């Protein structure tokens, strides 16, 4: 539908898949990620994390600099060079980006928010929170995991 207007800075937006959501895929592989981007950010990295503590992601399981793959105003697909084995536990999929000026790099739907669909880390604040808690807006990031055998 749109994307949040964020000030210049470093951000990370993530969707968190809980144990209940990953358990049916246990033993399979996360082989790719799709996300929607508005205007191109100055830098962009795809990250996948395991279960963390409370409302923060855990161990970094995969990362890739994807700025040269990102499509402006469209869906980008990244094939993981090393697929991540899905376990019956939390899995966070994130897109980290840098804005050199105010921008709307990450796409979101029109809501309503689904639990764990709108996590954001703002380097200036130094903490993870949901976008709903931060702004009152009810959205979900357009980030999708692709599962293979």
């Amino acid at each position: 539908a749109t994307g949040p207007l964020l000030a210049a800075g470093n951000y990370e937006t993530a969707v968190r898949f809980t144990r209940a959501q990953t358990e049916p895929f246990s033993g399979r592989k996360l082989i790719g990620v799709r996300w929607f981007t508005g205007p191109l950010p100055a830098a962009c990295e795809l990250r996948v994390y395991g279960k963390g503590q409370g409302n923060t992601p855990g161990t970094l399981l995969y990362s890739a600099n994807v700025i040269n793959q990102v499509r402006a105003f469209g869906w980008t697909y990244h094939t993981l060079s090393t697929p991540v084995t899905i376990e019956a536990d939390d899995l966070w999929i994130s897109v980290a980006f840098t804005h050199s000026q105010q921008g709307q790099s990450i796409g979101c739907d029109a809501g309503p928010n689904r639990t764990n669909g709108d996590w954001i880390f703002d380097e200036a604040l130094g903490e993870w929170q949901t976008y709903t808690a931060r702004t009152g807006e009810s959205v979900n990031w357009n980030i999708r995991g692709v599962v293979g055998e």
Side-chain angles (χ1 to χ4, degrees):
T2 188
L5 187 59
L6 299 170
N10 296 311
Y11 300 92
E12 189 167 358
T13 53
V15 292
R16 175 184 181 183
F17 296 94
T18 64
R19 178 185 180 97
Q21 294 167 308
T22 60
E23 195 164 33
F25 301 98
S26 184
R28 295 179 70 187
K29 305 275 187 188
L30 177 69
I31 61 169
V33 175
R34 292 184 66 210
W35 70 95
F36 193 90
T37 307
L40 290 177
C44 189
E45 187 174 315
L46 176 71
R47 298 176 183 162
V48 178
Y49 299 94
K51 181 180 180 179
Q53 297 278 333
N55 293 328
T56 59
T59 302
L60 182 64
L61 305 174
Y62 180 86
S63 69
N65 179 339
V66 293
I67 191 62
N68 292 329
Q69 294 177 278
V70 177
R71 293 185 52 211
F73 302 100
W75 287 94
T76 297
Y77 182 81
H78 174 77
T79 301
L80 276 65
S81 59
T82 306
V84 172
T85 301
I86 299 171
E87 299 178 9
D89 222 334
D90 287 8
L91 186 70
W92 295 64
I93 302 174
S94 82
V95 178
F97 52 91
T98 299
H99 284 171
S100 53
Q101 59 189 9
Q102 190 176 44
Q104 293 175 282
S105 293
I106 190 70
C108 62
D109 65 16
N113 170 262
R114 296 181 67 167
T115 303
N116 293 312
D118 68 335
W119 287 98
I120 186 167
F121 181 86
D122 179 342
E123 188 176 82
L125 299 175
E127 68 180 350
W128 283 94
Q129 18 175 214
T130 64
Y131 192 69
T132 302
R134 180 180 172 185
T135 66
E137 291 186 56
S138 181
V139 301
N140 302 284
W141 306 131
N142 290 325
I143 301 172
R144 311 285 183 259
V146 179
V147 177
E149 293 301 323

